[in-house]
Amino acid sequence: MRSKGTLIAVFVILVVAFGGCAGCGAYNGLVASDEGVIQAWANVETQYQRRSDLIPNLVSTVQGAADFEAGTLEAVTSARARATSITLQAGDLSDPERLRAFTEAQGSLGSALGRLLAVSENYPDLRATEAFRDLQAQLEGTENRINQARRDYNAAVASFNTSVRRFPTSIVASLTGFERRASFEADPGSDKAPVVEFN
């Protein structure tokens, strides 16, 4: 017959072993989820980089149009410079302010591009060139890919944040330094429909 002390020791060892295995599983799950967020962010950056790479070609094509509005081109060029100067590392994804600054810079670039394309309506010769049409189509496709990459990133962040908050994984997350990640939020004022005026 085993002593009561031996049974208690075996029980404690089993509980510690089970807790250790559960903790390792929770940690590995957090690592996998965190890597998913990092990969999704890399995809977002890839699409923004694609858009940024198209802009010099678009600007040079538009500059070829006689008397095209210089202010519009300057706005696009400076917005691109600002957008490419703000970069985020994986560790910055926990900082909503850094993500907001990145989003605002990219939003400014998107707005400047939108103005450039709107102004180009006044230049039928420019719009008739094949190079301009191709670049415009590539930009439109890139904007769609950016939106999809942002949705995928937000889904990865939601999954990760759920893991970080869910018990008992939340204990492992707090002990090992995993923090919630920031997701993309809608731009301020995007909840209101734009006013369309016909002159």
Side-chain angles (χ1 to χ4, degrees):
M1 184 168 171
R2 295 188 174 144
S3 71
K4 192 174 184 182
T6 304
L7 289 176
I8 290 173
V10 167
F11 178 75
V12 169
I13 290 170
L14 288 174
V15 167
V16 169
F18 178 76
C21 289
C24 287
Y27 178 79
N28 289 338
L30 285 168
V31 168
S33 188
D34 188 43
E35 288 299 320
V37 170
I38 292 168
Q39 178 62 46
W41 178 251
N43 292 340
V44 169
E45 287 185 314
T46 298
Q47 296 310 320
Y48 278 127
Q49 184 62 51
R50 175 181 164 76
R51 176 174 71 177
S52 182
D53 291 345
L54 289 172
I55 291 172
N57 293 335
L58 181 65
V59 168
S60 66
T61 301
V62 170
Q63 281 175 333
D67 73 333
F68 194 86
E69 298 177 18
T72 303
L73 290 175
E74 285 178 26
V76 169
T77 304
S78 65
R80 178 183 183 266
R82 181 171 177 255
T84 56
S85 71
I86 299 176
T87 58
L88 295 180
Q89 304 302 319
D92 296 331
L93 298 177
S94 299
D95 184 353
E97 291 302 315
R98 295 272 303 144
L99 187 60
R100 188 172 299 116
F102 179 87
T103 303
E104 286 174 2
Q106 294 296 337
S108 294
L109 178 55
S111 295
L113 279 173
R115 282 191 301 276
L116 184 141
L117 294 175
V119 168
S120 71
E121 296 285 335
N122 299 328
Y123 297 85
D125 291 342
L126 171 64
R127 297 190 57 76
T129 64
E130 185 177 342
F132 182 83
R133 286 194 316 267
D134 288 347
L135 287 167
Q136 186 176 13
Q138 288 181 45
L139 279 170
E140 289 169 0
T142 300
E143 291 299 324
N144 291 334
R145 285 191 285 277
I146 287 170
N147 288 331
Q148 183 60 50
R150 286 175 61 152
R151 281 193 296 272
D152 292 345
Y153 171 77
N154 279 348
V157 166
S159 175
F160 176 77
N161 288 347
T162 299
S163 296
V164 167
R165 294 181 61 210
R166 186 177 285 155
F167 183 81
T169 310
S170 60
I171 296 169
V172 175
S174 65
L175 292 174
T176 55
F178 285 101
E179 298 177 341
R180 294 182 67 189
R181 300 293 187 146
S183 59
F184 279 105
E185 297 176 1
D187 294 329
S190 62
D191 57 334
K192 296 183 177 34
V195 176
V196 178
E197 296 178 0
F198 296 100
N199 295 328

